[in-house]
Amino acid sequence: MPQIPIDQIHDDPTTNVRRVAAGAAQDEALTASIRAQGVLQPIVVRPNGNGYKVVFGRRRLRCAVAAGLTEIPTIVAQMTDAWAIAADAAENMTRASLHPLDQWRAVSALVDAGMKPPEAAAAIGLDERQTRRMERLGRLHPDVVALMAFSMPDDRYLAAIAMAPPADQARAVKTKGAVERAKGQISYVAWHVIRDALRVTRLSRSRALFDAEASGLAWEEDFFAEPGSPDQFTTTDVTGFFKHQHAAVEALAAARRAKKQTVEIIDPHTDTLPKGYTEVWDGDRDKPKRGHTVFLSIAANGVLRTRLATHDATEKAAAKKRAEREVNTRDNEGHDEGESAPEAAPKLPITKAGQKAIAAVKTEALQKALAGSVFVVETADIVRLLLLAFTARNVAAHARTGPAGHEWLHADLAGRLLSPGGTPLPVTDAELRALAARTLALLLTVSGPDEPTYSDASGNAAEWIGALVRADDALPRFDTAEFLEHVQVGELKRVATEAGVKVSGAAAAVRAALVGKLPDWRPAVFGAPGPVVVPVRSGDPADGSDMEDAA
């Protein structure tokens, strides 16, 4: 094979059909291969005066220069420009990449012959990581290799299979549903079934809170994962990982306690906060506020979980002290000597269970008022109610669950307003009011006592809308034996006196005497203070100054 000096060979852009060049990494791999073994396949050139023009083999020529070669094996051919373009196109179009199976066979053979992975990489033009990936495929059981000749799994399946012991691979390919056959021939390989049969728990080194290198754990590199990704190095030593992880969490808790933080470690098997604590969602987990307890736990995947919570009893006591301080402050401010201070608001004479019962029956009454004949309004009114509903805390979160909840909102409601093609359906004002009323009934829930702001209850919105639709008229009677059990006897005697009902004796006798005797008694009705409107400054988006004229 003649060797021609490289400085006599020139490119010919007019006959080069390839416009998308190989990447830098591919060029580096080919350069390393040429440096190790030389150019194994000659390039083709044609004479051009005192030198030569390349027909095909431009990348080999470029990498030979990078490898430091001064000569390159060459085939000299006489051809016109047209034939040079045809030859270049044919050479590129018919070139086929080496099948992955053949790649790993070549790598395995070179390693078996005594080469180290980097040397094998240079010899066949692969970078070191690709070579180590191919070497990993050398672990494949012959039964798996036979299936790969039919179809290749994707990289993630291939990685899971190659990282399993060969004996386990042989068992996995016999899993039910792994291979489908027709007339004795393979028709389909379900690689996901084989992968699932080989699935083992692997914990990522990136989640370790401890010194992974000094831990003594065996970390296995996944050469199919992207370098630097969380799954590049993993261990199957779950017990050892969690032993080190728990020790690291203990040390972390001690460090936090040294900073005067209250820290508790949760059992990973339960991962629930102890009874009597309420989780805080808007706090700084690195710098918790006074009164916050930091709860640390380790998830099943090894990730550290940090949560903040308040102790219910402590928070309740603190709230009581704050209320007492506010009362004392009011008593000491704005009163002349001898002037009596305003009386503190009386304690509600109904238990929390009773207040919850009130919230429940008010919710039911609101639904009846919205969905029943009581709800007869103009279209403008329903628009008003719908706008108010958007202020409800729960509207953005959840409608009621069950057959009359999410499913109806997501399917039936839309189906009554839109055709399958998405165009509006004709709906009368009466039908729109009925649909809107039913939607509101599903969205609104009356708040109970001490309802947290992040609950699904509707807050003041339910009270406002209930008053507007006269939901008080739909409230049931409260003079039932079940409800009267929740009311203090002193309050019952006061109510009885106002109603002209004579009662006497112990609490049980008073309650029994009032059952069915207080038809007009309403311990709670719909209504709440209106919202505080914050003035909008001129120029803010909300003042409408930046809106275009709708006309």
Side-chain angles (χ1 to χ4, degrees), residues 278-349:
T278 300
E279 187 164 358
V280 177
W281 299 96
D282 57 352
D284 188 337
R285 284 156 178 73
D286 293 326
K287 297 179 181 179
K289 296 179 181 179
R290 183 178 180 182
H292 286 174
T293 298
V294 181
F295 285 94
L296 304 177
S297 61
I298 305 173
N301 62 359
V303 172
L304 173 67
R305 188 179 184 192
T306 304
R307 285 180 284 177
L308 297 180
T310 55
H311 188 253
D312 296 343
T314 303
E315 190 70 12
K316 185 176 180 180
K320 182 178 180 181
K321 288 184 178 180
R322 287 194 297 269
E324 291 173 351
R325 285 197 298 269
E326 291 175 3
V327 171
N328 292 334
T329 300
R330 289 196 299 269
D331 288 344
N332 296 326
E333 292 180 354
H335 302 292
D336 294 332
E337 187 175 351
E339 182 182 358
S340 60
E343 295 183 2
K347 185 178 180 181
L348 196 64

Side-chain angles (χ1 to χ4, degrees), residues 20 22 51 58 69 80 103 106 128 156 168 187 200 221 234 245 261 263 270 274 303-304 365 421 427 445 485 516 550:
V20 181
R58 290 172 176 81
L69 272 62
T80 63
Q103 289 182 19
E128 181 178 354
R156 299 315 308 156
D168 292 345
S187 59
V200 296
E221 183 176 4
T234 60
Q245 196 80 329
Q261 297 180 13
V263 183
T270 59
V303 172
L304 173 67
V427 185
T445 304
E485 286 293 331

Side-chain angles (χ1 to χ4, degrees), residues 394-447:
N394 66 317
V395 168
H398 302 291
R400 296 183 180 279
T401 57
H406 291 292
E407 295 81 357
W408 185 80
L409 285 176
H410 293 164
D412 291 0
L413 176 60
R416 297 186 187 191
L417 298 174
L418 297 173
S419 70
T423 56
L425 292 173
V427 185
T428 65
D429 281 354
E431 290 171 333
L432 276 175
R433 290 197 297 272
L435 289 174
R438 185 175 181 185
T439 301
L440 286 171
L442 291 172
L443 292 174
L444 296 171
T445 304
V446 176
S447 302

Side-chain angles (χ1 to χ4, degrees), residues 66-122:
L69 272 62
T70 58
E71 294 182 334
I72 188 169
T74 308
I75 297 175
V76 180
Q78 297 286 346
M79 60 181 68
T80 63
D81 287 350
W83 279 107
I85 293 173
D88 185 37
E91 196 269 346
N92 282 283
M93 292 172 63
T94 58
R95 181 189 302 160
S97 299
L98 199 62
H99 192 279
L101 284 176
D102 295 325
Q103 289 182 19
W104 77 252
R105 286 191 182 101
V107 171
S108 299
L110 291 174
V111 172
D112 290 343
M115 280 191 180
K116 294 181 179 179
E119 296 173 332

